[in-house]
Structures are given as structure tokens and as C-alpha cells.
Amino acid sequence: MEFDIVVENLVKRYGSVEAVRGISFQVRKGEIFGFLGPNGAGKTTTIHILSTLLKPTSGKALVAGYDVVSEPNMVRRNIGIVFQDPSLDDNLTGYENLYIHGRLYGLNGQGLRERIEEALKFVELWDFRDRLVRNYSGGMRRRLEIARAMLHTPRILFLDEPTIGLDPQTRVHIWDYIRKLNREYGTTVFLTTHYMDEAEMLCNRIAIIDHGKIIALGTAEELKSMVGSDIVYVKLAKPDPDICSKLSIAGVDSCKVVEGGTVALQVKKASEAIPAILLHLDRLEIRVTEVSYRRPSLNDVFIHLTGREIRDSEGSFIEVARMRHRARMR
Amino acid sequence: MKMLESIYIMAYRQIKRFVRAKSRVAGVIINNILWLLFFGLGWAYTLRGQQFQVLFKGLDYLAFLLPATFATSIFQASFMGGISVIWDKQFGFLKEVLVAPAPRSLTILGRALGDSIVSLLNGLIMLAFGFALTSKLNPAGLPMALAIGFVMAVGFTSMGIAIASTMRSPEGFQLIVGTITMPMTLLSGAMFPLNMTPEWMQILALVSPLTYAVDLCRYFLTGVSFLNMVYPWLTQEVEALLLVVTSLALMVIAMRMFEKTTIE
Ligand SMILES: Nc1ncnc2c1ncn2[C@@H]1O[C@H](COP(=O)(O)OP(=O)(O)OP(=O)(O)O)[C@@H](O)[C@H]1O
Ligand SMILES: [Mg+2]
């Protein structure tokens, strides 16, 4: 079989809220596939449907060749999952958490002990195996969750925001584990994230999801080529909502006003376009306080597609609130 | 084999968690001591005279109360045990269980068995104090009392799990447990002989399986059954049958309810 996950026209409604609005995509065997999107885009909902925890309102999803609605048990046998929110038993040790998991997946005896040792060593937690999870740090918990998800050597691994709230060093560490898992065991990985760097560093292909819809899908390179070229940011002394109409000059492919009186201009080659733009603005007597440019990032792709930043102010507020919530639950 | 596996591992987890929670264990023991001391001894001294022994069919109050407390303490601990389902919802561990290939009806069964063993231990501690306080209890009845205790523990743990499966907040659950536990304990005939109460109260009491459990435990540990004296058709066999059937029914309901739990 060529695809490990096939999704067709998937819809999920919670009452009147339509969290997932008809998405379709395929994940290839052995691929690291990413869902990139802002808070509330429908990433977790999709993962919960694919892992048989939620029933879709309509549409079809096959995981490892099995239908998530009619053959949930076969799907469950083939997947491992790291949830966005904590899901460990705090009152047990790291080892005991894995032991229970293993038995629930039909492993036992010497085989299980060896798997636990391998998984704990893989995430470098073997030395802490007898410590209560309650006394683990946030990064250690995340690593333990990864070890647990891989314990039964699932064919497909789901990771819902695997590095949310972790420090940069730990994030890099976890990226390494994910890559290693994919390389050494051939595990297909489906991950969600709202970190652009994470999607770019890890994923073979990325689907950008917003308001329950996939708005773009491809490799990071392919996505960036949608924006095409360099981006020039010009900060004006006085915000001007009509600035774009005044900037239709040769060399500027598109123009978008972003917050704080800054204009994002798409150009073929920034080094040549900047003098022309500045000269033009100078003629119009529009004062410029700052100019910068960069090669397009996934964030620019997102802005290009939606007109918003992927991490708008509301989004980061929600994230802070959630981190507090997680902290309180411990 | 696979089936036993899922049951075993969840029971293992529940027991392990209980043993880990030292404060919970200590709390149970202290609670038991306080109850026996202040309630049990208090009434035992009040009802000391010969004339009262008639009320209790020749038993003294402690011998009347202790076997019943064994049953009611198991009842309370079992029913309350359902709260761990809600904690698991809140702390996320429930998702881990729900996404596992092990059948949900079996994982919940294992959980009910684990919690039942925990509350049976609870009852045993109570009973150990009982044997220390009075010499009128018959040790030969212990195995039967334990069997009855286990059957009712499974039933009431299942009842707790079934209710908890539909709820989100521990506070809400505690409220429900409180409103059900109190009347059931009072009506069970644990603290006063039911044959002296008005008929409507007796009828209410007969609806509750706890009443049978209390009467059976008392019968096996002291040889006196109060229900049988008023209702000759309520032999020990009938009482045991009613108890087993209700426990099984509650267990099946809990399995069904848990199958339907979602994370929505
Ligand atoms: N149980 C629920 N009941 C009602 N609405 C819900 C429920 N769960 C999620 N939603 C809504 O569905 C939408 C998608 O939520 P979802 O959790 O899938 O987003 P997400 O992409 O995972 O976001 P985040 O980055 O914050 O985790 C949101 O608008 C959310 O408010
Ligand atoms: Mg999410």
C-alpha cells in the first residue's frame, strides 16, 4: 500500500461549531507529514478523529488501510499517539507508565521489558525510570510520552504539538528523536504544530490548515514558491491604508499592509527592488522609517494565503492560557 | 488470555495507585477508628443494659453494628472509587486507555475489580478493629462475609463508574455520591434494626441492595438476620441471589456506559 493515511472530505461539527470543514489529503508510507496552523484551526480535532477518539460528522478516513469508524480496533493496533495535553499517570513511575501501556497493547514478559528499556534509552530517560512522573520536568514528560507512543512499535505515530511549551534545547532534542524514529523504524509520522520552524525542519510535506480547511499542501519549498520571491518590509512613518494603490510600480508583484503601518512587498530580487521602491516613495513624499527584507518563510506563505500572521496576538494569548492550565493540572 | 490481560493490568494500576497514595491509606484507617470510637462505642455504652439486648436479638450493640459497618464502609469506598474515572478524564490518562486496542469493556472491568479489592481491604481494616473491640463476632463467618463484601464492592464500584462516565467535574460527582450514600447507609439497617421501623421505610430499604449486604454480613458474622425474621421468604440464599444479580447488572451497565464515553 502506498498511503498510510487517506482522508476524504472529512467534516467535524461540535454543535454549531464546524471545527473541520471538509479536508482531504494523503500521507505516504514512511513520510513525516505536518499539519501547520494557528490555534483553533482544527488540528487536534483531526488527530482525534484519525486516532478513533472522535467520530467524524461526515467524510472518510483510512488509517493503515482501516476505516476509523467501522474498524477502530484495527486502527488502534497500528498507531501510537502523543496527545497535545498531558496524558501520563502522575502517580506512577516512568517505568510503570510504559509497563501498563505495553500490557494494554498485548506485550508482556521479557519482550516487554526489553522494549521498555529500549524506548526509555531512546529518549534518555532510562536513568529516571523509577522516579514518579509527578516529579518529572515538562520536557521529561514529553519524552516519556514519546517513548510510550513508540513502545509497541506502531506503524503510524501521531504527535499533537510535540514541543509545545518546551525550551529551545529540548525542542531540538525532540526533533532528533522524531527524525531518528522515522529513519530507524520507518515509522510514518503525522504531526501538528503551529511552529513554522518545526514544520520546516521536520516535515517532508506540510498541509497548512486554517479555520478547518487545508489552504495549501506541499513540501516547504513548494509552499514557499507560492510566494515566489523575496519579501521587502517597509515601515512608514505614518500608517497609510491606501499605500498599496500607490505602490503599483514595476518589480513589485504584490503588496499587503501588515500591522503597525508596515507594508510587505513581494519582489523578484530585493537588492534591486529596494532602491526603486524608496525612490518612488520619496517622490510621493511618503516618509519611511525602516526597511528590511528576507527570503520567504512559511509565515509569509500563511500571510500570503490568509492576510494574517500565523501567530496573531489572540493566538499567543490562548497559548499562554493553556500553558497555565497545563501547569495547574500538574 | 488476552482478555484476562486487559482486566489484570487495569486492576494492577488501580491497586498500585492506591498503595502509592499513603495519605489516602492513612485517611481510611483514621476514619475507621474515629467512626468506631465515637459512634460505635458511644451507642454501645448508651444501649448497655439487658433490656436493650432484646432489640438486637441477643446481640450487644457493637456486635450488631460492626458487621454492618464492614458492609457500609465497603459501599462508601466502592461508590466513591468512581471518582478516579473523572480524575483520569481531567489528567488525560483516560485518553491513553481509550486509544488502546484493549477492549474498553474489559479495561473498565479491570478497573472495577481493582477498586473493589481496594475497598475490600478498606472493609477488612474496619473488621480487624471490630474483632479487637468485641469477642462476639464469629471468625468462621469471615470467608462468607468477604465474599459478600467483594460482590457488593464490584456492584457499587460499577455504579460509581457508570455515573462518573457521564460526568466532567469531581465536585458534581461528589455531590451525587453524597446524596445517594447518606440515605442508603441510613436505610441499610446498619445502625438500627429495620424490623422496628415503619413499613414504608422497610419497603424503601428493601429496594436497596446494600440492605441485603448488611443483613448477610451480619448473619455470617453473628448468626442473626433481621430481615429474615420479618420476611420469612428472604432467606440468606434469596438475599445473596438478589445481591449477585444487582451487582452483575450494575457491572454490565458500567461496561456499556464506559464504551460510550467520549472525549468531546
Ligand atoms: N469539545 C469541543 N466542543 C466544542 N468546540 C470545540 C471542542 N473542541 C474543539 N472545539 C472547537 O473546534 C475548533 C478546532 O479546535 P482544535 O482543538 O481542533 O484546534 P487546534 O488546531 O488543535 O488548536 P490549538 O492549536 O489551539 O490546539 C476550535 O474552534 C475549538 O474551539
Ligand atoms: Mg490542538
Side-chain angles (χ1 to χ4, degrees):
Chain A
M1 204 188 71
E2 205 189 338
F3 294 117
D4 261 353
I5 302 175
V6 179
V7 172
E8 274 164 28
N9 252 317
L10 200 66
V11 175
K12 177 68 189 181
R13 246 179 251 122
Y14 299 104
S16 62
V17 183
E18 204 167 19
V20 173
R21 301 176 4 191
I23 56 173
S24 304
F25 62 92
Q26 286 113 27
V27 178
R28 297 180 190 131
K29 221 178 173 134
E31 172 173 49
I32 302 185
F33 186 90
F35 249 29
L36 173 67
N39 289 120
K43 306 183 293 293
T44 299
T45 303
T46 307
I47 275 211
H48 283 169
I49 293 173
L50 295 181
S51 59
T52 75
L53 284 179
L54 281 181
K55 293 238 179 318
T57 307
S58 67
K60 202 172 150 91
L62 298 182
V63 173
Y66 300 103
D67 190 294
V68 294
V69 178
S70 58
E71 301 161 293
N73 266 316
M74 291 312 294
V75 172
R76 289 178 195 149
R77 260 179 243 283
N78 282 289
I79 62 170
I81 180 164
V82 172
F83 296 102
Q84 178 172 346
D85 298 322
S87 65
L88 295 164
D89 189 332
D90 277 22
N91 292 316
L92 299 178
T93 64
Y95 192 95
E96 288 163 349
N97 264 282
L98 294 204
Y99 178 75
I100 289 173
H101 178 91
R103 300 284 302 246
L104 282 175
Y105 281 76
L107 305 173
N108 54 34
Q110 187 59 27
L112 175 57
R113 278 193 290 277
E114 278 164 16
R115 277 302 298 154
I116 294 178
E117 183 171 347
E118 186 179 344
L120 282 177
K121 285 186 172 158
F122 185 85
V123 296
E124 294 160 87
L125 283 178
W126 180 244
D127 292 340
F128 304 96
R129 62 186 178 278
D130 292 327
R131 195 188 277 191
L132 287 186
V133 171
R134 202 186 317 145
N135 303 326
Y136 273 27
S137 72
M140 289 165 80
R141 283 160 194 260
R142 216 57 183 147
R143 274 145 62 199
L144 186 65
E145 284 176 320
I146 291 176
R148 185 176 71 177
M150 61 175 274
L151 188 74
H152 54 287
T153 43
R155 178 161 142 195
I156 303 160
L157 186 64
F158 291 98
L159 303 167
D160 198 356
E161 314 232 12
T163 65
I164 192 165
L166 301 180
D167 64 56
Q169 248 175 312
T170 316
R171 295 183 64 206
V172 173
H173 239 77
I174 285 181
W175 291 346
D176 285 340
Y177 298 139
I178 296 172
R179 276 198 214 98
K180 213 166 109 191
L181 204 63
N182 173 255
R183 210 174 41 233
E184 289 179 12
Y185 297 85
T187 314
T188 303
V189 179
F190 179 100
L191 68 86
T192 75
T193 182
H194 64 262
Y195 297 121
M196 270 112 15
D197 54 344
E198 186 160 287
E200 198 162 347
M201 300 280 293
L202 276 178
C203 299
N204 302 117
R205 287 189 310 143
I206 300 161
I208 298 184
I209 178 166
D210 187 36
H211 294 311
K213 284 209 160 107
I214 292 180
I215 52 178
L217 196 158
T219 63
E221 280 314 309
E222 283 166 359
L223 292 176
K224 284 190 219 163
S225 70
M226 293 174 68
V227 187
S229 27
D230 295 351
I231 315 269
V232 175
Y233 293 93
V234 179
K235 190 167 183 195
L236 306 176
K238 257 200 282 163
D240 178 355
D242 297 327
I243 185 72
C244 280
S245 59
K246 298 171 189 161
L247 267 171
S248 49
I249 54 170
V252 174
D253 296 336
S254 89
C255 167
K256 225 157 221 165
V257 181
V258 285
E259 71 231 40
T262 303
V263 203
L265 302 167
Q266 222 181 80
V267 299
K268 293 261 146 37
K269 207 163 176 207
S271 50
E272 288 166 13
I274 288 173
I277 293 166
L278 288 182
L279 189 65
H280 183 71
L281 287 172
D282 196 40
R283 280 202 197 116
L284 296 175
E285 296 190 346
I286 296 171
R287 290 220 342 198
V288 172
T289 55
E290 213 177 294
V291 179
S292 61
Y293 86 95
R294 64 173 147 132
R295 312 217 40 94
S297 68
L298 288 177
N299 194 32
D300 300 310
V301 179
F302 193 81
I303 293 172
H304 172 79
L305 291 168
T306 67
R308 306 193 319 276
E309 294 249 9
I310 201 159
R311 297 189 63 187
D312 49 19
S313 52
E314 189 203 17
S316 39
F317 170 74
I318 291 171
E319 191 187 339
V320 169
R322 183 172 31 226
M323 293 312 300
R324 285 212 198 98
H325 182 57
R326 284 170 68 103
R328 200 154 20 88
M329 304 230 304
R330 290 196 175 140
Chain B
M1 268 331 276
K2 273 276 157 61
M3 286 179 56
L4 289 182
E5 183 85 340
S6 327
I7 297 174
Y8 162 79
I9 194 62
M10 284 307 286
Y12 167 91
R13 179 214 176 215
Q14 295 304 110
I15 294 171
K16 191 117 214 173
R17 268 173 75 92
F18 177 76
V19 175
R20 260 310 134 60
K22 293 193 187 65
S23 56
R24 221 175 118 196
V25 181
V28 165
I29 295 176
I30 291 172
N31 242 332
N32 287 347
I33 295 180
L34 291 181
W35 165 260
L36 283 182
L37 272 187
F38 298 147
F39 187 92
L41 283 184
W43 279 110
Y45 274 81
T46 311
L47 304 173
R48 206 168 13 178
Q50 278 296 324
Q51 70 274 31
F52 294 114
Q53 298 224 343
V54 183
L55 286 180
F56 303 115
K57 310 288 176 211
L59 299 175
D60 62 26
Y61 187 70
L62 268 185
F64 170 83
L65 178 72
L66 288 169
T69 327
F70 168 69
T72 52
S73 69
I74 291 178
F75 161 64
Q76 286 161 3
S78 303
F79 195 16
M80 200 60 203
I83 203 169
S84 72
V85 172
I86 299 181
W87 282 336
D88 281 354
K89 257 182 217 178
Q90 289 204 331
F91 287 90
F93 185 76
L94 191 72
K95 281 192 293 236
E96 152 79 356
V97 177
L98 291 180
V99 85
R104 291 176 185 185
S105 53
L106 297 183
T107 51
I108 203 62
L109 183 59
R111 188 181 190 118
L113 291 181
D115 281 343
S116 299
I117 291 168
V118 166
S119 45
L120 195 61
L121 285 176
N122 200 51
L124 263 181
I125 295 173
M126 201 78 173
L127 208 52
F129 289 120
F131 276 103
L133 283 175
T134 174
S135 57
K136 303 243 171 57
L137 298 185
N138 177 12
L142 200 55
M144 276 315 285
L146 285 182
I148 298 293
F150 185 70
V151 170
M152 66 177 279
V154 171
F156 290 121
T157 310
S158 302
M159 186 160 113
I161 289 173
I163 294 175
S165 297
T166 66
M167 303 198 62
R168 302 204 137 260
S169 81
E171 292 82 7
F173 182 73
Q174 257 153 343
L175 198 73
I176 290 188
V177 170
T179 40
I180 296 181
T181 307
M182 214 249 297
M184 272 181 76
T185 308
L186 290 175
L187 274 178
S188 69
M191 292 164 234
F192 47 81
L194 275 179
N195 54 333
M196 310 292 284
T197 58
E199 198 176 351
W200 60 266
M201 205 192 268
Q202 291 183 20
I203 291 169
L204 276 181
L206 287 182
V207 176
S208 145
L210 180 60
T211 310
Y212 303 111
V214 163
D215 199 55
L216 281 169
C217 287
R218 189 178 283 138
Y219 173 77
F220 287 115
L221 289 170
T222 67
V224 177
S225 161
F226 283 79
L227 285 182
N228 188 224
M229 234 168 272
V230 192
Y231 305 94
W233 55 275
L234 266 182
T235 58
Q236 278 72 54
E237 289 79 16
V238 173
E239 287 183 298
L241 188 70
L242 284 173
L243 189 63
V244 169
V245 169
T246 7
S247 280
L248 281 179
L250 287 168
M251 200 170 92
V252 172
I253 292 174
M255 285 158 95
R256 289 270 163 80
M257 299 284 277
F258 189 71
E259 295 248 18
K260 280 193 243 135
T261 5
T262 63
I263 53 159
E264 255 175 73

